Amino acid sequence: MKERLSPFQASILMYLTQSGVTLFSLPRFVAEAFGTNGWIGLIIVYFIVNINLVLIWLVYKVSKGKSMLEIIDIFPKWMTLPFNLIIAGVWMLLGVMIMVKFCMILKVLFYNNVSLIYLLTMVYILTYLLLKKDLYQIAKSTVVLFYFTIWTVFLLAFHLPEFSFIRLTPFIFKGDTDMLTGGISIYTALLGYELSILYIHMIEKKQLKSIIAGNTITSIIYLGVTFVSFGFFSFDQLLKEMYPVVTLLGYISFPVLERVENFTFTIFGLKVLMTTVMYLWGTKELVQYQFKRIKPNFLVIGILIIGFTVSFIPKVIKDVDYWITYISYAATVIAFLLPILLLLTILSSKILKWKAANE
């Protein structure tokens, strides 16, 4: 019998999967999308994500604890093949591009003389070591990483002396806003939660509370960072800052540590690593379902080789941003449609069984 995830492990796994590289630009995205006091818009996005999580939980409850792969097992493999490969492809590309963007930013800001291929090679080695393990072992690793990285949130306290409520302005959602397109972009910053549809059945109890708790942790951190940014920068400054969070970190100094942003940014790479690992884990699970004869280790190596090759197609950060934007849109569609399709599958199956029993 496989070991099951505790509610705490599931929540931390959810949080670290969601914590992507978008955080560094998030305050600017929020300002562009929602305008003045746009941080309030994050609360709306949080509740929309929770609605999606309830749909995922309903799949678990209506199916009486079955996994997604058990639910679709009623279809022949030739029917599920394109369905699974499309989802696996989107998840793999998103996980890979998130890490590529982080490595590119790391190189541009801090390690100009280090080749991108070296940074990516180290990342893929670490990813391989984690992907070799089962989900329970990965979840245990995330708990360690959580305690190792969560302290970075408290660095926001160093900006409170410079924080001014006057910079927030009394206006809400004013300015040159783009709430629809911008709101979708903000929503994609919380992606990663949709992977819970593959492991919600592995959580031993309080499944819904666990995944919502994970999303709540991420949302509180995002809200805190964005709120401080709106009170630290003027609104116009915030619109012009490419990476407001990196700039925030640059204002912190310790007697024993000269460049706090360098150290903190590198630590944050552990969170980005877990996001990539979980997306590639989801890819592995879907592909393994379709091709059960392939040994898991060979499958992991194959996915990583493809991911490593794709990593070098975009040449600059702007190209990576385009990739992430459109792949995130596809992942958002999958996040909403997948639980709905699974619910329809379960209900259709129950109706057919009921009809067969009454004939």
Side-chain angles (χ1 to χ4, degrees):
M1 182 178 177
K2 290 185 178 180
E3 293 179 280
R4 297 168 71 84
L5 304 177
S6 70
F8 178 71
Q9 286 176 322
S11 299
I12 299 306
L13 185 63
M14 170 78 76
Y15 157 64
L16 284 177
T17 305
Q18 285 182 299
S19 298
V21 75
T22 308
L23 175 62
F24 297 109
S25 305
L26 185 64
R28 174 171 59 83
F29 289 160
V30 171
E32 291 171 346
F34 300 121
T36 52
N37 281 305
W39 55 273
I40 298 172
L42 280 172
I43 300 172
I44 299 170
V45 175
Y46 162 74
F47 283 108
I48 295 173
V49 173
N50 281 346
I51 292 170
N52 207 170
L53 289 173
V54 170
L55 285 175
I56 291 172
W57 175 76
L58 282 174
V59 171
Y60 168 79
K61 292 300 288 185
V62 175
S63 68
K64 297 182 179 178
K66 287 184 179 179
S67 69
M68 169 189 156
L69 300 179
E70 288 174 325
I71 293 168
I72 65 173
D73 206 36
I74 63 172
F75 300 107
K77 289 292 176 64
W78 63 267
M79 285 184 66
T80 58
L81 180 63
F83 173 79
N84 281 339
L85 288 186
I86 289 171
I87 297 173
V90 170
W91 285 352
M92 184 194 72
L93 289 174
L94 186 55
V96 166
M97 288 302 144
I98 286 170
M99 183 52 73
V100 171
K101 182 174 180 178
F102 177 81
C103 289
M104 283 187 171
I105 295 173
L106 191 66
K107 174 179 167 57
V108 169
L109 294 181
F110 306 115
Y111 302 111
N112 293 315
N113 297 323
V114 178
S115 172
L116 183 63
I117 193 169
Y118 293 142
L119 293 175
L120 287 173
T121 299
M122 287 190 291
V123 167
Y124 279 103
I125 290 172
L126 291 172
T127 303
Y128 171 73
L129 293 174
L130 284 167
L131 279 179
K132 283 200 312 178
K133 309 293 184 182
D134 59 24
L135 185 65
Y136 181 75
Q137 297 298 324
I138 293 173
K140 287 203 297 185
S141 302
T142 61
V143 173
V144 175
L145 292 179
F146 171 75
Y147 288 119
F148 192 65
T149 59
I150 192 62
W151 63 268
T152 57
V153 176
F154 299 103
L155 293 175
L156 292 174
F158 285 89
H159 301 97
L160 294 180
E162 301 296 328
F163 183 92
S164 173
F165 282 98
I166 296 174
R167 296 192 185 101
L168 294 177
T169 79
F171 305 105
I172 297 176
F173 299 163
K174 299 295 183 181
D176 188 13
T177 60
D178 184 11
M179 290 195 181
L180 181 59
T181 306
I184 294 172
S185 297
I186 304 305
Y187 186 90
T188 60
L190 288 168
L191 282 176
Y193 70 85
E194 71 277 14
L195 292 169
S196 62
I197 202 163
L198 289 176
Y199 62 77
I200 190 170
H201 66 286
M202 300 180 188
I203 305 172
E204 61 184 3
K205 58 182 178 179
K206 299 179 181 178
Q207 290 81 7
L208 182 59
K209 289 182 179 178
S210 300
I211 56 180
I212 287 181
N215 180 48
T216 302
I217 295 169
T218 307
S219 299
I220 288 172
I221 291 172
Y222 281 6
L223 187 62
V225 170
T226 305
F227 180 74
V228 169
S229 297
F230 270 77
F232 186 85
F233 302 101
S234 70
F235 184 69
D236 289 334
Q237 281 179 313
L238 201 53
L239 292 173
K240 293 175 183 176
E241 284 285 343
M242 182 64 71
Y243 303 112
V245 176
V246 177
T247 305
L248 278 178
L249 294 172
Y251 280 90
I252 302 172
S253 60
F254 291 115
V256 295
L257 189 60
E258 185 177 347
R259 299 198 63 181
V260 176
E261 73 274 23
N262 191 330
F263 177 71
T264 308
F265 195 89
T266 306
I267 290 293
F268 189 86
L270 296 173
K271 294 183 179 181
V272 179
L273 172 67
M274 289 312 305
T275 302
T276 298
V277 166
M278 284 306 297
Y279 270 115
L280 295 185
W281 173 83
T283 301
K284 184 192 78 171
E285 291 295 301
L286 294 180
V287 178
Q288 185 75 65
Y289 173 79
Q290 291 297 148
F291 306 102
K292 291 182 179 177
R293 292 184 180 181
I294 302 177
K295 292 183 178 180
N297 221 29
F298 292 154
L299 188 58
V300 169
I301 293 171
I303 290 170
L304 292 179
I305 289 172
I306 295 170
F308 190 77
T309 305
V310 172
S311 299
F312 295 97
I313 296 177
K315 302 300 181 184
V316 293
I317 293 178
K318 188 176 181 181
D319 292 340
V320 178
D321 285 336
Y322 280 129
W323 279 66
I324 290 177
T325 298
Y326 292 109
I327 296 166
S328 295
Y329 289 162
T332 301
V333 172
I334 290 169
F336 269 101
L337 288 185
L338 186 55
I340 293 172
L341 290 174
L342 289 174
L343 281 171
L344 291 174
T345 300
I346 296 164
L347 294 174
S348 299
S349 176
K350 287 188 175 183
I351 290 170
L352 291 173
K353 286 181 180 178
W354 180 80
K355 284 184 176 180
N358 287 274
E359 284 180 356

